[in-house]
Amino acid sequence: MNGVTDPIRQAESYYHLHLVSDSTGETLISVGRAAAAQYSVKPIEHVYPLVRTHRQLDKAIQSIEEYPGIVLYTLTDPELRNRLKIYCQNNGVPVLSVLAPVVRLFQAYLGGVPEPRVGGQHQLDGEYFRRIDAMNYTVMHDDGQHTDGLEAADVVLLGISRSSKTPTSIYLANRGIKTANIPLVPNLPIPPGLSELKRPLVVGLVASAERVVEIRRNRLLGLNASQPNDSYVDRDAVAEEIAFSRRLCARHGWPVIDVTRRSIEETAAAIIGLLQERRRKMFETTSA
């Protein structure tokens, strides 16, 4: 593994990626996919969660032997960890503990010896229940439902149909952020009290007319309800909807995010950045 690309490997259209964890495997999946996304060759994932016994590890090793590839692992049991590592090294299989370098950095800074805990990030603690509470709130306040409870939100998303409000709301809720979303329709009033909200961050989501039309047409085709002449998929009508959204947000001083070329994760990250900046300013104001 000297950094030189193997021409045989480069010519293959796929490779095997083995993810071995003594917890849910979510950390491994995220890291593995983030690294794999840097290459055009696609991985075939083999995920082995909750590996806590030698018998469970046997199944993972058997699969690695049958489908050699890259092995990433998070195992806190030293016997299991060493067994997997030694097997891979003896058989020329690239293997890496994804948390080891990070833990070493923490140890160098904090000192002491870490106390390994299986699935420590998934404990039923306050943070866990905060995410569950946020998810419940978000589902209850999707697509303009229960607008009388918007003051309890952390974030309120505004946007026309097919501007990714709901998936962005769900993603934020999974991060523990209570999120409501409100559909915007030209010539229809916004919910009463929306402009007077004090606690939540209100954000408008917009996209290009071409992108919105494309998504709407695909949705209609999926529902077998395509209506080419309907204003719902008319480019000029959609452009006016978007202009209406921008005017509304400008009038109230609400930030706007163009989601045309953003993934849900990127949109959520931008919103979280705005939320953190808003909270920082509020803290500085109250502590002054």
Side-chain angles (χ1 to χ4, degrees), residues 72-285:
L72 303 179
Y73 69 90
T74 52
L75 296 171
T76 55
D77 186 295
E79 288 188 13
L80 297 179
R81 185 170 62 238
N82 291 335
R83 183 184 166 202
L84 177 62
K85 184 178 179 180
I86 291 172
Y87 169 82
C88 291
Q89 290 175 341
N90 289 344
N91 289 275
V93 176
V95 61
L96 176 70
S97 169
V98 300
L99 289 181
V102 180
V103 172
R104 284 197 294 269
L105 178 63
F106 274 68
Q107 186 175 0
Y109 183 78
L110 300 174
V113 179
E115 300 177 5
R117 292 184 295 169
V118 175
Q121 73 273 37
H122 302 299
Q123 294 184 88
L124 300 182
D125 55 10
E127 176 65 21
Y128 174 84
F129 289 107
R130 186 169 73 89
R131 293 202 309 272
I132 296 299
D133 186 40
M135 188 64 73
N136 289 335
Y137 178 90
T138 299
V139 171
M140 289 290 293
H141 294 79
D142 180 46
D143 202 29
Q145 300 182 77
H146 305 291
T147 56
D148 55 335
L150 294 179
E151 191 63 50
D154 298 310
V155 172
V156 176
L157 300 181
L158 308 176
I160 65 174
S161 172
R162 307 295 106 189
S163 56
S164 74
K165 299 185 301 300
T166 293
T168 303
S169 296
I170 296 299
Y171 186 93
L172 289 169
N174 196 46
R175 297 287 298 273
I177 299 171
K178 292 182 178 179
T179 309
N181 73 79
I182 306 293
L184 295 180
V185 181
N187 303 319
L188 288 184
I190 60 176
L194 181 61
S195 58
E196 282 77 40
L197 293 177
K198 302 299 182 184
R199 181 178 183 274
L201 169 70
V202 181
V203 179
L205 301 183
V206 299
S208 69
E210 292 76 13
R211 179 58 176 161
V212 174
V213 169
E214 178 186 6
I215 296 172
R216 289 182 177 183
R217 282 177 175 165
N218 289 335
R219 176 171 173 77
L220 289 175
L221 288 172
L223 297 173
N224 293 320
S226 180
Q227 300 179 37
N229 297 322
D230 190 353
S231 61
Y232 184 69
V233 292
D234 179 77
R235 197 257 178 221
D236 292 337
V238 171
E240 176 52 35
E241 290 185 56
I242 297 167
F244 164 77
S245 299
R246 289 186 178 277
R247 289 195 300 268
L248 176 68
C249 291
R251 186 161 63 247
H252 293 282
W254 296 326
V256 173
I257 297 176
D258 190 327
V259 303
T260 304
R261 294 181 176 83
R262 292 178 187 260
S263 66
I264 297 302
E265 293 84 355
E266 290 171 327
T267 300
I271 293 169
I272 291 172
L274 290 172
L275 183 61
Q276 291 175 338
E277 177 65 16
R278 183 172 186 269
R279 287 174 172 173
R280 182 186 65 80
K281 291 180 178 178
M282 292 175 65
F283 175 78
E284 291 177 349
T285 300

Side-chain angles (χ1 to χ4, degrees), residues 20-22 48-64 75-87:
V20 187
S21 173
D22 50 18
Y48 316 94
L50 304 175
V51 175
R52 300 175 183 177
T53 67
H54 284 280
R55 185 175 180 179
Q56 292 168 329
L57 183 58
D58 287 340
K59 296 180 179 178
I61 290 177
Q62 182 180 352
S63 180
I64 294 168
L75 296 171
T76 55
D77 186 295
E79 288 188 13
L80 297 179
R81 185 170 62 238
N82 291 335
R83 183 184 166 202
L84 177 62
K85 184 178 179 180
I86 291 172
Y87 169 82

